[in-house]
Amino acid sequence: MRYLTFALTKGRLAKKTMDLFRRVGITCQEMEDPDSRKLIFTNEELGLRFFLAKGPDVPTYVEYGAADIGIVGKDTIMEEQRKLYEVMDLGFGKCRMCVCGPASAQELLRHQELIRVATKYPNIAKDYFYNKKHQTVEIIKLNGSIELAPIVGLSEVIVDIVETGTTLRENGLSVLEEICPLSARVVVNQVSMRMENERITGLLKELKKALE
Ligand code: PRP
C-alpha cells in the first residue's frame, strides 16, 4: 500500500489536527514528543505519513503532490491560490479576516481615500479592496506583528486575522470592516483525489463523524 502523506500546519493547528486524528484512531507516537525536532512521522500499520510545514507552504506541497492531503487555514488557501480541492471545514482555528485600524481611519475608508494597507496577505487585501470595494489602495507586504504598521505610521489600516481581538485592543486598534470568516480546512491534491479516492473519502467520512 502506498503511503498517504499529510502536510500539517506547524503549531497550534497541527496539535488540534492530531487531537482530531487520535479520535478516529489515527495516532502517531513519534509526533507526541514535544522536544523532538523531527519533521516527518509515519504510522506503518495505517500506511500514513505526516510532516509539519509552515502554513503558506502547505498548499504548495499539496498542489505538487508531495503531500496528498493538507490541513491549513482558509486564509492561507485564499492567499496562496494553488490548484487543489478544498474538501472540508474542520471547524477549529476559527477567526476572521478583517480590515483594522484606529477609529480615525473609518472616515478614510468611507471616502475611498488612497490609503496604505499593511498585511501579510497581499492577495486577499487586493481582492477585497479592488474587486469587492472598488477602492484603489497601496498594499504593503509585511511578515508579522502587522498591528505595528498603523501605530508607527507605515499605513492607515491593516488587513489581518482577528481571533480574540486582544492584540487589537492592547494596541488601541479595532475592527473596521470584516472580510470573511476563517477556520482550518482539509485540502487534497487533484490527482490523489482520483487515484486514492476510496481511502481519502473514507477518511473524510470518519473525520466528519468525529466532528459531529
Ligand atoms: C495573529 C494575527 C494577530 C493575532 C490575532 O498573529 O496576525 O496579530 O494573531 O489574535 P487575537 O485577536 O487573539 O489577538 P500571530 O500571533 O499568528 O503572529 P504574527 O504577528 O507574527 O502574525
Side-chain angles (χ1 to χ4, degrees):
M1 188 167 54
R2 181 182 161 276
Y3 277 115
L4 262 192
T5 303
F6 291 77
L8 309 184
T9 299
K10 222 180 193 165
R12 249 182 308 170
L13 224 50
K15 285 200 193 80
K16 288 195 173 166
T17 304
M18 290 317 291
D19 288 344
L20 171 65
F21 282 5
R22 211 172 293 118
R23 282 195 274 150
V24 300
I26 298 173
T27 51
C28 197
Q29 268 307 332
E30 297 177 290
M31 216 157 167
E32 311 290 332
D33 177 6
D35 297 324
S36 173
R37 303 286 293 168
K38 232 179 127 168
L39 293 172
I40 185 150
F41 310 93
T42 53
N43 178 317
E44 298 292 345
E45 305 91 84
L46 299 174
L48 303 177
R49 240 178 11 156
F50 306 88
F51 66 79
L52 299 169
K54 286 268 187 194
D57 296 338
V58 169
T60 312
Y61 284 108
V62 173
E63 181 185 276
Y64 284 92
D68 301 289
I69 298 174
I71 311 290
V72 64
K74 177 69 177 174
D75 51 317
T76 307
I77 299 171
M78 286 164 58
E79 182 61 26
E80 295 301 316
Q81 303 173 340
R82 292 287 177 177
K83 266 197 240 117
L84 36 77
Y85 296 131
E86 181 189 323
V87 295
M88 198 170 154
D89 185 344
L90 292 174
F92 53 73
K94 274 205 169 98
C95 48
R96 303 177 291 158
M97 185 64 71
C98 297
V99 180
C100 312
S104 59
Q106 192 70 266
E107 282 298 298
L108 305 175
L109 287 171
R110 208 183 348 256
H111 296 118
Q112 306 251 332
E113 304 261 2
L114 177 55
I115 52 173
R116 289 195 286 199
V117 181
T119 186
K120 208 161 40 169
Y121 302 93
N123 290 325
I124 295 176
K126 229 175 276 171
D127 180 62
Y128 180 71
F129 279 102
Y130 293 5
N131 301 334
K132 296 219 177 67
K133 298 206 46 172
H134 306 291
Q135 177 172 2
T136 308
V137 295
E138 183 179 344
I139 290 163
I140 302 172
K141 157 93 196 225
L142 290 178
N143 295 293
S145 302
I146 316 299
E147 290 83 358
L148 266 178
I151 298 172
V152 299
L154 177 63
S155 70
E156 281 77 26
V157 299
I158 61 175
V159 164
D160 200 16
I161 289 175
V162 179
E163 190 183 355
T164 60
T166 310
T167 312
L168 291 177
R169 229 174 3 257
E170 292 190 357
N171 291 288
L173 307 172
S174 50
V175 172
L176 303 174
E177 292 175 2
E178 194 170 322
I179 299 178
C180 63
L182 305 167
S183 57
R185 308 292 161 98
V186 180
V187 294
V188 180
N189 172 269
Q190 296 189 335
V191 175
S192 305
M193 197 59 179
R194 252 181 301 134
M195 306 299 283
E196 298 284 346
N197 192 271
E198 246 170 79
R199 278 176 91 190
I200 292 175
T201 50
L203 184 98
L204 292 173
K205 253 185 226 154
E206 282 187 58
L207 292 179
K208 209 165 275 169
K209 239 192 284 166
L211 287 171
E212 274 162 11

